[in-house]
Amino acid sequence: GNSVTQMEGPVTLSEEAFLTINCTYTATGYPSLFWYVQYPGEGLQLLLKATKADDKGSNKGFEATYRKETTSFHLEKGSVQVSDSAVYFCALTIPGGYQKVTFGIGTKLQVIP
Amino acid sequence: DTGVSQNPRHKITKRGQNVTFRCDPISEHNRLYWYRQTLGQGPEFLTYFQNEAQLEKSRLLSDRFSAERPKGSFSTLEIQRTEQGDSAMYLCASSLAQGTGWTSRPEAFFGQGTRLTVV
């Protein structure tokens, strides 16, 4: 089956620190990969996506590169802000299917001033 | 694009009562999904509609749960005889099907969710 494994949090960083949240996946077929972000009490917002190997998704200073050889999609940001505090979910869908999303457990990020 | 809309945002109910949630997807999206998210976990798939047809249901969806999408637009999720274990965030999402620009927009768009508390 399909699964997503991401590092467990919480991750606590000081403002302007470098962020990495690791994500690896197992999938039948060639998945599309996503990072979603969830702010407290809110739903999920798409942060970035990549649909084929070596694609780099980027948004709001966050980046992730689709690495087929290591089945990974690690999230990075060079300088985090307090406003980045949220829960980050790595996720995948399989083309040709129902596009249901398989999520990781989520990684809580707390950025302190 | 007004986004996916869910109502209500919060619902507190007594155990044994029935509850119904509504989801209005993005208008041009023909695929609609329901997910459940419990505290500290990622969302888990419950069910999927393509237009008005319910094409897949998770084993998480017990007989007390029923979902409908009568005209292929909005959807409702009803939980009968609620139990404390039903307390969770219920998320709705919508997306485009393949052949309608899917290759450039494979992502699902999520609503704000309905937080259910069963007391």
Side-chain angles (χ1 to χ4, degrees):
Chain A
N2 303 318
S3 66
V4 175
T5 303
Q6 60 183 108
M7 58 189 291
E8 294 201 23
V11 173
T12 302
L13 294 175
S14 297
E15 204 165 21
E16 299 183 2
F18 185 86
L19 169 71
T20 299
I21 301 178
N22 291 335
C23 170
T24 58
Y25 66 89
T26 302
T28 54
Y30 200 141
S32 295
L33 302 174
F34 308 90
W35 278 98
Y36 284 87
V37 58
Q38 186 173 38
Y39 297 100
E42 300 294 320
L44 297 170
Q45 299 177 24
L46 179 68
L47 181 60
L48 53 83
K49 66 184 178 188
T51 58
K52 60 182 187 296
D54 300 324
D55 267 1
K56 178 184 284 187
S58 60
N59 186 25
K60 299 181 181 178
F62 291 90
E63 292 183 340
T65 300
Y66 190 144
R67 299 291 187 199
K68 193 168 187 291
E69 64 275 15
T70 55
T71 61
S72 65
F73 193 54
H74 306 319
L75 182 68
E76 297 182 334
K77 186 175 185 182
S79 176
V80 294
Q81 305 300 312
V82 172
S83 57
D84 294 326
S85 298
V87 181
Y88 292 82
F89 292 94
C90 187
L92 65 83
T93 62
I94 301 297
Y98 295 152
Q99 287 172 266
K100 68 180 179 184
V101 186
T102 300
F103 289 92
I105 195 171
T107 302
K108 183 175 182 178
L109 170 65
Q110 183 176 10
V111 181
I112 54 177
Chain B
D1 184 350
T2 57
V4 178
S5 177
Q6 291 188 246
N7 288 289
R9 291 289 308 276
H10 304 274
K11 179 71 177 178
I12 300 174
T13 191
K14 291 184 178 179
R15 188 178 54 178
Q17 298 294 305
N18 298 344
V19 293
T20 300
F21 312 139
R22 176 179 171 123
C23 171
D24 288 272
I26 293 171
S27 57
E28 65 266 29
H29 286 180
N30 49 6
R31 291 184 164 181
L32 186 146
Y33 313 80
W34 285 98
Y35 291 81
R36 181 173 69 186
Q37 184 181 20
T38 53
L39 199 62
Q41 300 295 317
E44 296 174 294
F45 171 79
L46 291 179
T47 191
Y48 155 70
F49 289 85
Q50 174 127 353
N51 300 313
E52 66 275 9
Q54 187 174 21
L55 297 184
E56 187 175 348
K57 293 196 290 186
S58 162
R59 55 184 169 78
L60 293 176
L61 214 65
S62 76
D63 291 345
R64 296 184 297 104
F65 287 71
S66 62
E68 295 182 344
R69 194 181 182 199
K71 296 182 180 179
S73 56
F74 73 91
S75 175
T76 57
L77 177 67
E78 181 183 17
I79 308 174
Q80 296 181 325
R81 304 181 304 282
T82 52
E83 301 173 356
Q84 288 188 321
D86 297 331
S87 296
M89 173 84 90
Y90 290 85
L91 293 163
C92 177
S94 68
S95 70
L96 287 169
Q98 280 182 291
T100 52
W102 181 88
T103 53
S104 61
R105 298 289 297 278
E107 63 268 28
F109 292 84
F110 284 79
Q112 299 282 66
T114 294
R115 182 168 296 284
L116 172 66
T117 302
V118 182
V119 297

